Amino acid sequence: MKIKLSCTAFALALAALPLAATAAGDPFLKAQMIAENLEPVIVHPEQQKAVQEKLAALEKHSGRKPNILILLVDDLGWGDVGAYGGGTAVGAPTPHIDSLASGGLKLTSTYAQPTCTPTRSAMMTGRLPARTGLTRPILTGENPKVNPWASEQTAAGLLSAAGYRTALSGKWHLGEPDGFQPQQVGYDEYLGILSVSSEFSQGLDARLVPNLVLKPERMAALKKVSRSAITAGKRGELAQVLEPIDSIEALAQIDQKFANFSEDFIRRSVKAQKPFYLIHSFSRVHNDNYPAKGYAGKSPAGFPYKDAVVEVDDIVGRLMQTLKDTGQLDNTLVFFTSDNGPSDDLLPDSGYTPFRGGKGSTWEGGVRVPGIAYWPGIISAGRQSDGLFDLMDLFNTSLAVTGNSAKVPKDRYIDGIDQSSFLLSDQGVSNRESVYMYAERQLMAIRWEEFKVHLKVFDVKRAGANLDESLVSSTGMSPWVYNLYVDPKEQVSTGHRNFEWGLPRVVGIAGRHLATFQKYPAKDLGLAKPVQ
């Protein structure tokens, strides 16, 4: 499948072709193409050299490769964390997460995809969902007609082959059938849920979904297409049911079970004297949030969502203490983030973002997420940066930090960028020039420097209904442009007035990007909506 640029009536496609071809000579653009199949990068040789020396010295001192721990929260808002202006101010203190931010690098321009499945696939493969085909969440009982994992490689799989112990703890949501499961696509171990917490609550809570729970025939059908259980598996095996999720009380406890597994995995890896790569993937704070034991009303706000934020923060503190207790705190890159923005559709029991829009949209509120990199002795405490970071970059960065950059695939297009020098250098700056924002297969917007350029926009028909009542509309003569430094809420487009100098740059970037699909076509998994 070829994706075409059909974004505005501004003759973008015609303008993009010559600009894309001459981008290397444009004094505004800094990124360089270092390989045909790799996203262009802004090269910073001095900071790269400094980081390589720093990592070599650490390995010589510790006698082992560094570990990687990715803390991935589900649907957490940019503004939910205290370090980002939330926390106590919005009724849910986050002291442990705030400690990571103050002790490491707080990124203010970290970007995810609009929804969870696309973000998770991008983070694990370094490839845009428009390429892998994992363009939207896989829903109850769905079985994609093509297994994307049959032709994708994950960072976990590449690191496992390099001698790392790899594990996925918690939410997967990237396919349930045989061949789709985490322990079948690169993770040595898995314990968690293959789908999403709302899939379980819909069959348990008659207050929320009476038209399912109170209908015996429908409930019988649900049980045939949805497995409501914590499952677990080892590399290559089919996941087995560990325990059923057959009550709201059982559903409320699943994140504590995931934390138990992650703590045990870390301890076992250290005992085996093996470096580890662990994605701890919370089911929190995705709806529906039923407080775990001891957490009902624990947040000042007292709402279930806020209690869940407090639980997430406590688990972060628990896993950081495990690193300390096992002597691995100074030998582990920790990255804390969220898979998309908060779900406005669930207000008032939902998260907070100061930006426009929410989950499901490509407005800043849907795709801009917290991003914190923490590594005592390697990442200087107290750093902050507005440099661009896409969660896809964790793929390349994980391989680079562990000394496995040569394993980045050469037979497909990789959209992620090695950001190790950005994260780890004392004065590091981003190696990424632009971020591409998609709604399924449609290129919607591009972030370049402090500017957000929309080629298409989400038109929300009812306040807070980004998922349930929104349309995708093309922009008119000019793309909509917002300077996020002075208009972070994306309220007044000023592209025609004071960004004429920048429009050709972004058009050129878009043209070069879309041209990559010619040689590296997208996969079709059959997830597209049936429209005329």
Side-chain angles (χ1 to χ4, degrees):
M1 172 179 287
K2 295 180 180 179
I3 296 181
K4 298 179 180 179
L5 178 61
S6 56
C7 302
T8 79
F10 196 55
L12 293 183
L14 293 177
L17 294 176
L19 281 167
T22 61
D26 191 323
F28 285 98
L29 302 180
K30 304 171 185 175
Q32 302 175 29
M33 182 179 289
I34 57 176
E36 184 184 59
N37 73 311
L38 299 179
E39 181 68 16
V41 301
I42 304 173
V43 180
H44 298 104
E46 291 303 317
Q47 73 180 30
Q48 184 66 40
K49 179 182 177 183
V51 166
Q52 289 173 345
E53 292 173 351
K54 188 183 289 189
L55 290 173
L58 175 67
E59 185 172 350
K60 182 178 180 180
H61 172 74
S62 65
R64 55 180 285 160
K65 293 285 187 181
N67 313 303
I68 295 175
L69 170 61
I70 297 173
L71 301 165
L72 180 63
V73 191
D74 198 357
D75 289 7
L76 185 75
W78 192 93
D80 281 328
V81 178
Y84 290 84
T88 301
V90 295
T94 55
H96 298 295
I97 301 169
D98 297 347
S99 180
L100 297 182
S102 62
L105 169 60
K106 182 177 77 172
L107 301 170
T108 58
S109 287
T110 300
Y111 285 92
Q113 304 296 316
T115 54
C116 46
T117 295
T119 291
R120 291 159 194 271
S121 67
M123 185 183 75
M124 294 177 192
T125 65
R127 284 160 48 80
L128 280 165
R131 298 189 197 278
T132 65
L134 289 160
T135 54
R136 64 162 175 81
I138 298 173
L139 305 177
T140 304
E142 278 192 313
N143 292 310
K145 66 180 183 181
V146 176
N147 180 0
W149 301 109
S151 55
E152 294 294 337
Q153 294 191 15
T154 63
L158 295 171
L159 289 175
S160 177
Y164 271 70
R165 291 170 61 100
T166 62
L168 187 288
S169 174
K171 176 185 172 180
W172 175 240
H173 209 187
L174 289 164
E176 298 183 54
D178 190 3
F180 285 68
Q181 299 171 5
Q183 79 285 356
Q184 297 174 318
V185 301
Y187 295 90
D188 298 324
E189 299 182 39
Y190 151 74
L191 181 145
I193 55 174
L194 291 172
S195 56
V196 58
S197 57
S198 57
E199 184 165 309
F200 305 147
S201 60
Q202 71 176 353
L204 296 171
D205 196 335
R207 298 169 306 163
L208 294 176
V209 196
N211 56 3
L212 174 64
V213 179
L214 301 181
K215 302 288 185 179
E217 186 176 344
R218 290 178 180 172
M219 283 299 297
L222 178 68
K223 291 178 181 178
K224 292 179 180 179
V225 300
S226 177
R227 179 162 50 178
S228 186
I230 294 177
T231 53
K234 296 290 181 70
R235 174 181 266 289
E237 300 175 356
L238 194 63
Q240 301 297 316
V241 172
L242 192 65
E243 58 181 271
I245 302 174
D246 53 7
S247 67
I248 289 174
E249 290 73 23
L251 180 58
Q253 291 301 121
I254 62 175
D255 273 282
Q256 294 298 318
K257 304 289 178 64
F258 304 157
N260 292 343
F261 172 78
S262 289
E263 180 178 348
D264 180 63
F265 175 78
I266 292 171
R267 293 186 184 279
R268 287 188 287 109
S269 297
V270 174
K271 185 176 181 180
Q273 298 184 323
K274 291 282 190 178
F276 63 82
Y277 171 87
L278 169 63
I279 296 182
H280 183 88
S281 179
F282 294 86
S283 81
R284 304 294 192 197
V285 284
H286 192 289
N287 62 295
D288 299 290
N289 287 291
Y290 302 97
K293 292 177 183 177
Y295 282 94
K298 190 172 182 179
S299 68
F303 276 68
Y305 179 95
K306 302 295 185 177
D307 293 342
V309 171
V310 171
E311 183 184 2
V312 165
D313 186 72
D314 283 352
I315 290 172
V316 169
R318 175 180 170 185
L319 295 180
M320 297 308 297
Q321 186 63 46
T322 301
L323 293 178
K324 184 177 181 180
D325 292 345
T326 55
Q328 293 304 303
L329 189 63
D330 296 340
N331 198 42
T332 304
L333 169 60
V334 178
F335 196 93
F336 174 91
T337 191
S338 174
D339 62 355
N340 46 246
S343 181
D344 281 357
D345 296 57
L346 299 169
L347 286 170
D349 192 31
S350 180
Y352 170 65
T353 178
F355 306 117
R356 180 175 179 176
K359 176 183 178 180
S361 80
T362 48
W363 296 109
E364 289 290 282
V367 293
R368 198 163 171 177
V369 296
I372 301 170
Y374 179 85
W375 192 347
I378 299 295
I379 297 177
S380 298
R383 287 180 59 204
Q384 297 186 38
S385 175
D386 196 45
L388 299 182
F389 190 94
D390 192 299
L391 291 185
M392 289 185 295
D393 299 342
L394 288 171
F395 174 84
N396 307 63
T397 303
S398 296
L399 294 176
V401 164
T402 60
N404 289 286
S405 289
K407 293 184 178 291
V408 174
K410 297 178 175 60
D411 62 345
R412 65 203 66 193
Y413 197 87
I414 301 295
D415 301 278
I417 286 174
D418 173 12
Q419 295 272 37
S420 58
S421 69
F422 173 32
L423 301 184
L424 310 186
S425 179
D426 291 343
Q427 287 81 41
V429 294
S430 178
N431 301 318
R432 175 173 283 280
E433 185 163 61
S434 53
V435 172
Y436 309 102
M437 301 173 194
Y438 274 80
E440 298 183 67
R441 295 191 180 278
Q442 301 181 78
L443 177 61
M444 299 287 291
I446 295 174
R447 168 81 189 266
W448 176 64
E449 300 198 2
E450 70 266 35
F451 303 99
K452 177 85 167 285
V453 180
H454 292 263
L455 307 175
K456 293 186 177 182
V457 293
F458 274 88
D459 181 12
V460 179
K461 308 309 292 183
R462 176 171 57 84
N466 296 290
L467 291 167
D468 283 334
E469 293 183 38
S470 64
L471 302 173
V472 171
S473 303
S474 295
T475 56
M477 174 62 70
S478 173
W480 294 7
V481 182
Y482 302 92
N483 182 328
L484 297 178
Y485 282 164
V486 297
D487 185 13
K489 290 181 178 291
E490 299 173 283
Q491 294 175 306
V492 180
S493 174
T494 59
H496 177 260
R497 292 196 298 279
N498 58 25
F499 195 65
E500 287 190 357
W501 63 271
L503 280 173
R505 269 76 257 173
V506 178
V507 166
I509 290 170
R512 188 215 62 79
H513 167 69
L514 290 169
T516 64
F517 285 90
Q518 299 299 314
K519 183 171 182 178
Y520 302 97
K523 288 188 288 191
D524 181 5
L525 308 185
L527 296 180
K529 293 187 288 289
V531 295
Q532 292 291 332

